[in-house]
Amino acid sequence: MDKLLEENQEERLSTLNTECKQLRERGILPLSPLPRIPEWLASRIYVADRYAFMYCEVPKTGCTNWKRTFLALMGNIKSSKVMTQNQVHSFNYTKLSSFDISGQRSRLDNYSMVMFVREPMERLVSAYRDKFLHSKHYKVRTKAGTAYGRCERRASCLTQKVYGRAIISHYRKNPSRVSLTGGHDVTFPEMVRFILDPERPLVQDVHWLPAHHLCQPCLLRYDYLGKVETLGRDAADLLARVRAPESVFYSSPKDKRSSAALTGYYLAQLSSKVRQQLYTFYYGDYKLFGYPLPSDMKI
């Protein structure tokens, strides 16, 4: 095993455990493990019995390709490149929620737990671009034959239909009929306003909820913490640790991840006050996963 990779993991897990310990000492977290894993959390954890490890899904951290890799590991497909994105997300995976309490506890006590994270603002921008920019395929014809085109990917269509419409109708003055029908042209400030609104019209979406909310790393024991910033290296290291066959490998996404400059472009659309509120919303991810706090963040 690469010594540097091992040291990186030790440092990441040490930071995570130290921050979690402080939260327990301050009474923010319970001192003892959860007696039962909530259904919503158990349904986010994918189980690979053959390799004795489990993966908690955090959207916008390469999870689509991780699912492809998972299927290849379990022998469901020969290659991790075979399935389309829609097929990958609709497959019937084995999850922790499939087991009774004793089955869940046995796996939590004996299997390796894995999650991948990402710099919070980059993950947020990636979610916005994926759901409201890259999937924009709306067309409008004349009244004689009015028709609305459909976005390309099923998940993005649903986000636009459910969240896009609600965001536009709730926060935009005098929205057009096309925008209200499609929900496809949400602006970044509008999406952030929705995220920060304590009286928002809908619950938060998993694509931009903080990673620590989704996988609860202070309440469950994680043995491996990967990062998108070192995704290729971490993925190869993880697969080697679980002794995956050489035929199984993680296929890096074709699209380049959102750069710091691109993320800065979107954050610049927000007022200083709103940026501070946004940083606070994701503060837990910064601290638990060892990401440097934004340079303009006011502590």
Side-chain angles (χ1 to χ4, degrees), residues 87-240:
Q87 290 173 328
V88 167
H89 288 299
S90 61
F91 193 87
N92 186 25
Y93 296 88
T94 300
K95 299 183 180 181
L96 192 61
S97 55
S98 306
F99 304 94
D100 59 20
I101 296 177
S102 61
Q104 291 183 8
R105 181 51 56 189
S106 174
R107 286 167 175 80
L108 288 169
D109 290 342
N110 297 292
Y111 286 12
S112 295
M113 277 283 288
V114 176
M115 69 179 293
F116 275 71
V117 296
R118 185 176 190 172
E119 200 284 327
M121 293 301 102
E122 285 195 11
R123 178 171 169 255
L124 175 63
V125 167
S126 177
Y128 169 72
R129 288 169 58 80
D130 181 54
K131 297 304 177 184
F132 296 113
L133 288 188
H134 292 168
S135 298
K136 190 186 296 183
H137 295 280
Y138 249 74
K139 296 180 180 179
V140 181
R141 297 175 184 171
T142 62
K143 290 184 178 180
T146 302
Y148 297 93
R150 296 178 59 190
C151 54
E152 191 175 51
R153 288 172 293 177
R154 187 183 308 160
S156 296
C157 291
L158 183 61
T159 301
Q160 293 176 12
K161 182 178 180 179
V162 176
Y163 285 91
R165 289 175 177 177
I167 291 172
I168 290 171
S169 64
H170 205 71
Y171 301 109
R172 187 179 301 179
K173 293 182 179 180
N174 303 316
S176 69
R177 180 175 57 86
V178 173
S179 295
L180 287 172
T181 301
H184 59 289
D185 60 350
V186 173
T187 67
F188 185 68
E190 286 173 339
M191 190 179 87
V192 170
R193 186 175 176 184
F194 167 82
I195 291 172
L196 298 177
D197 186 354
E199 298 181 0
R200 69 186 75 86
L202 294 171
V203 298
Q204 296 285 16
D205 184 79
V206 296
H207 292 87
W208 52 74
L209 261 177
H212 73 277
H213 280 302
L214 295 173
C215 292
Q216 296 294 316
C218 289
L219 298 179
L220 299 178
R221 171 187 51 81
Y222 282 86
D223 305 282
Y224 197 92
L225 181 59
K227 292 189 174 186
V228 168
E229 292 76 14
T230 52
L231 184 55
R233 185 183 68 190
D234 290 350
D237 179 42
L238 174 59
L239 291 174

Side-chain angles (χ1 to χ4, degrees), residues 259-295:
S259 66
L262 185 60
T263 300
Y265 165 78
Y266 284 97
L267 291 178
Q269 298 175 22
L270 309 174
S271 68
S272 176
K273 179 181 179 180
V274 172
R275 283 199 303 273
Q276 300 305 316
Q277 293 173 337
L278 193 61
Y279 297 153
T280 300
F281 183 78
Y282 288 99
Y283 183 73
D285 279 5
Y286 280 108
K287 295 295 287 182
L288 292 172
F289 306 130
Y291 284 107
L293 296 176
S295 59

